[in-house]
Amino acid sequence: MSTQSDLAQSVIDGDWDAAAALAQAAADAVKDPQVIIFDVLQPAMEEVGRRFSEGEFFLPDMLAAGRAMTAALQVLQPLLGNSAVSKLGLVLIGTVEGDVHEIGKSMVSMFLKGSGFEVIDLGVDVHPETFVDAVKTHQPDILGLSALLTTTMPHLGKTIGALQDAGLRTQVKVVIGGAPVTQPYADMIGADGYAADAGAAASLCKRLVSCE
Amino acid sequence: MTKKMELLAACHGKHLDKVPYGPRIDLWYNYHNAHGTLPERYQGWSMIDILRDLGVGGQKRHYSVVKEEIHGIEVEETHDPPYTRTTYTTPYGTVTSTLLFNPFEGAWIGYESEKLFKSDKDYDAIRCVIEHITPVPDPAYEHACEEVGEDGLVMSGIRGWSAPQRVMREIMGYEMFFYELMDHPKQVEELIEVMKELDRKKLQLVLDTDIELVNVCGNWSDDIHTPVFRKYFIPWFKEVNAVLHAHDKLSMAHIDGENRRLLPLLRETDIDVWEAWTPYPMTKDTTAQLREAVGPQGVIWGGIPSILFDDPTTDEEFDDFIVNTLFKEAAPGYNFIIGMGDNLPFDGKLERVQRVAQLIEEHGTLPIDG
């Protein structure tokens, strides 16, 4: 196997020590380290997401893969010099008001970064006004909202309403997710998309930015 | 037969005339009671009285029949509603957690917005905190039973989550737990063992109460991770159930999450009742699939996804789900208690709670045709 395919496999396997070592070796063999990010690491994370969606990988597998990806990126980042890795877009993400669950949001965040998005994580228990202020400040392409409870689901719609009231609704795509959330619910509250898991979220966000 | 007797009879696998119904409406009730928006007819009523008026035998949640008292270490609590910050000072260091509880949200318990565990430096301090906990009987449990009487069931147990899940979810959070299991597995396992020792003491107190159905764990989902479930959860549940069953008590698990990957393991736990079952479309699995997983002897309590109690589900769609999906998948209907997965949402339609009882009257005579 080549160094690049070994690197991809180390990410899929969640072997972060190997990922760091192989990232260095792979970067030494190419002129532009960005190639490693776009052609090796991001497809590896997409494979991880696919395996999770299909029931082959579990949550710890994704965490380990994310850690391996981060280890590889930490090696490559200094080698990029003045050239910034071009980003697909900016995503703001947060768990809605009254909800402190973050594992799903963290997974989505990891996959979005792995897919080439810049991500700003607003944390948990984020009130609609805070989302609105963040959208005004950062002007993201996508706003990701997470709600894990039926008690907090209504805050998804309230946040979208707050964007509407602030005159910002048309300036950002809103994607929602979380255990009780469904596509019909997303349609009902006027979200631009719904994702069932982190892998699906990354694919959806790519489609949304490519349609802009 | 009283409503309480019906529910317990079903839990014991006894065959009744109609499929029993054990709805849960505390989320709806707490929210509207806090906001002053209960229906005019029910202004000032208790939740149990509302359920009585609807003619249904519901459930009242009570966190635990056992309270935890801490002795021998310094504990400081500061309140900044809706947050309560608790700091424990031990010879091994200081650890802090923050609980978020907003009654206006409708929830009946709080959530840890700040977990006790921050890094591997905290293991000894947290172990020390747990070792200084003394469980004592909670008199509030008896008051709850008096309030409900024979009109429903007080759902309570050892504590919300089992020992392994308490470490995983309450003390560390899922993400931290899995990272720590990768980096410091021995310390994680030691912490789980210390928590199990505490729960063993609590279990002895539970045996001294008249509680018949004991909640041994809650909020299951695939996030627990199958290998972790197999290694840490199953042996613990087998131990707990051996004790409970030897004292003629039944066990219950609150399984309202996405459980597809855990389904094949459920029977190994020896748990008796699977409560808050939440099928498709809120999860990937159907009631028929759960029945296959828990076998004919397992008691299923739930089956109505909570989102169906509100728009955009129409009344016709609601009836159709109950009669043509739920009843058909529950058929013949033995070892089954109809209920919500897991609660009536705060914007849910109370009239649909009563509608389920009407549909049971019309179509729920046992055995139900499949």
Side-chain angles (χ1 to χ4, degrees):
Chain A
M1 292 174 83
S2 70
T3 303
Q4 289 189 5
S5 59
D6 284 345
L7 173 58
Q9 194 60 50
S10 70
V11 169
I12 293 169
D13 292 341
D15 186 342
W16 51 86
D17 289 333
L22 288 164
Q24 184 65 64
D28 290 341
V30 298
K31 282 185 182 172
D32 184 2
Q34 286 197 56
V35 166
I36 308 298
I37 295 173
F38 291 125
D39 294 351
V40 180
L41 297 179
Q42 287 180 4
M45 284 305 288
E46 285 173 12
E47 174 62 14
V48 172
R50 185 193 68 77
R51 293 190 191 191
F52 178 79
S53 295
E54 293 187 3
E56 184 182 337
F57 270 15
F58 297 89
L59 183 59
D61 300 308
M62 297 218 292
L63 291 172
R67 190 183 255 191
M69 173 86 167
T70 301
L73 285 173
Q74 282 174 345
V75 168
L76 297 173
Q77 213 63 44
L79 303 175
L80 294 172
N82 291 329
S83 63
V85 178
S86 55
K87 299 289 183 186
L88 289 177
L90 172 62
V91 179
L92 289 188
I93 191 168
T95 303
V96 296
E97 180 182 354
D99 200 324
V100 296
H101 295 89
E102 57 186 326
I103 186 67
K105 171 183 66 64
S106 298
M107 289 292 100
V108 170
S109 204
M110 186 174 76
F111 271 77
L112 288 174
K113 287 178 187 172
S115 298
F117 284 94
E118 183 183 354
V119 179
I120 296 176
D121 189 340
L122 299 174
V124 298
D125 187 24
V126 183
H127 291 219
E129 314 82 68
T130 307
F131 278 120
V132 167
D133 289 342
V135 168
K136 276 185 195 164
T137 303
H138 299 287
Q139 298 178 22
D141 301 282
I142 295 172
L143 177 63
L145 305 176
S146 172
L148 201 78
L149 308 168
T150 51
T151 55
T152 57
M153 272 171 77
H155 293 295
L156 296 167
K158 283 185 186 174
T159 301
I160 292 175
L163 290 171
Q164 190 84 31
D165 293 342
L168 297 171
R169 181 62 188 94
T170 56
Q171 295 177 28
V172 64
K173 302 277 190 219
V174 178
V175 174
I176 67 172
V181 182
T182 61
Q183 185 64 63
Y185 191 81
D187 296 338
M188 185 182 81
I189 65 173
D192 296 293
Y194 155 73
D197 58 46
S203 300
L204 173 62
C205 288
K206 280 185 182 176
R207 285 201 302 278
L208 287 174
V209 295
S210 68
C211 290
E212 286 178 338
Chain B
M1 198 180 265
T2 67
K3 297 284 187 230
K4 179 180 176 181
M5 287 176 181
E6 273 181 15
L7 293 170
L8 287 174
C11 290
H12 281 281
K14 292 188 170 53
H15 288 188
L16 303 171
D17 294 334
K18 290 189 189 294
V19 62
Y21 179 32
R24 182 179 174 189
I25 68 167
D26 53 273
L27 175 58
W28 175 90
Y29 177 81
N30 292 341
Y31 178 90
H32 289 289
N33 194 40
H35 286 266
T37 52
L38 283 169
E40 195 177 333
R41 172 187 172 78
Y42 294 130
Q43 289 283 335
W45 288 43
S46 72
M47 183 188 75
I48 294 299
D49 282 339
I50 293 174
L51 287 168
R52 287 188 178 107
D53 192 61
L54 294 175
V56 300
Q59 48 169 294
K60 179 181 174 69
R61 233 60 184 185
H62 187 80
Y63 193 59
S64 177
V65 303
V66 177
K67 287 192 306 183
E68 291 183 350
E69 292 181 352
I70 297 184
H71 303 284
I73 60 172
E74 187 184 326
V75 182
E76 185 188 351
E77 249 182 34
T78 55
H79 299 276
D80 180 22
Y83 299 98
T84 298
R85 200 153 197 259
T86 306
T87 299
Y88 306 88
T89 302
T90 80
Y92 306 96
T94 298
V95 286
T96 301
S97 66
T98 302
L99 192 73
L100 164 65
F101 177 60
N102 186 345
F104 288 90
E105 297 287 340
W108 70 296
I109 53 175
Y111 294 91
E112 296 76 29
S113 61
E114 176 193 7
K115 307 291 186 190
L116 202 59
F117 183 93
K118 310 291 191 304
S119 78
D120 61 331
K121 297 180 180 52
D122 295 330
Y123 279 110
D124 287 338
I126 293 173
R127 177 183 45 77
C128 182
V129 171
I130 297 169
E131 287 173 343
H132 282 77
I133 294 174
T134 301
V136 298
D138 181 9
Y141 168 67
E142 294 298 331
H143 297 151
C145 291
E146 284 165 14
E147 183 194 359
V148 175
E150 290 295 313
D151 297 324
L153 205 56
V154 176
M155 306 289 261
S156 190
I158 302 170
R159 191 184 167 89
W161 296 320
S162 64
Q165 198 177 10
R166 193 174 171 187
V167 171
M168 175 186 242
R169 187 174 167 142
E170 176 186 323
I171 292 183
M172 288 186 168
Y174 284 112
E175 201 169 339
M176 181 68 82
F177 176 86
F178 288 123
Y179 283 134
E180 283 299 305
L181 210 53
M182 290 181 220
D183 298 335
H184 306 107
K186 183 168 171 294
Q187 287 96 318
V188 173
E189 290 182 354
E190 284 173 356
L191 200 58
I192 291 174
E193 277 310 309
V194 168
M195 192 64 82
K196 284 182 184 176
E197 273 308 306
L198 173 59
D199 272 15
R200 287 183 182 111
K201 293 178 195 171
K202 289 183 180 179
L203 194 52
Q204 292 306 309
L205 294 178
V206 169
L207 297 178
D208 292 336
T209 70
D210 63 358
I211 187 170
E212 292 187 52
L213 181 65
V214 181
N215 185 359
V216 297
C217 197
N219 302 124
W220 286 12
S221 73
D222 288 344
D223 288 341
I224 292 177
H225 182 42
T226 307
V228 165
F229 191 86
R230 195 176 272 122
K231 185 172 182 182
Y232 300 110
F233 284 61
I234 290 177
W236 174 243
F237 289 131
K238 280 185 165 319
E239 178 183 335
V240 168
N241 281 311
V243 173
L244 290 175
H245 294 157
H247 290 80
D248 296 322
K249 294 191 187 297
L250 299 173
S251 60
M252 175 197 103
H254 183 85
I255 56 162
D256 62 336
E258 184 64 70
N259 285 292
R260 168 159 288 187
R261 297 173 220 227
L262 295 182
L263 286 188
L265 304 180
L266 297 187
R267 237 192 278 204
E268 295 182 43
T269 63
D270 295 336
I271 286 173
D272 303 295
V273 180
W274 305 96
E275 187 257 349
W277 166 243
T278 307
Y280 181 86
M282 284 182 72
T283 67
K284 295 187 178 79
D285 295 306
T286 65
T287 297
Q289 286 169 313
L290 177 66
R291 171 57 71 204
E292 190 181 333
V294 302
Q297 302 310 314
V299 177
I300 299 173
W301 187 329
I304 310 175
S306 60
I307 57 172
L308 298 188
F309 282 89
D310 193 19
D311 300 325
T313 303
T314 65
D315 289 342
E316 292 73 28
E317 288 169 338
F318 184 79
D319 285 10
D320 181 66
F321 175 86
I322 301 296
V323 176
N324 295 320
T325 299
L326 178 57
F327 284 1
K328 290 278 188 280
E329 292 193 20
Y334 301 119
N335 293 347
F336 208 108
I337 300 171
I338 303 291
M340 286 77 160
D342 69 325
N343 212 324
L344 180 66
F346 74 80
D347 50 356
K349 298 178 193 303
L350 187 66
E351 55 269 29
R352 288 188 183 172
V353 175
Q354 196 169 35
R355 181 63 182 147
V356 174
Q358 292 165 351
L359 292 170
I360 290 174
E361 197 55 39
E362 293 167 30
H363 303 280
T365 300
L366 298 179
I368 298 173
D369 286 333

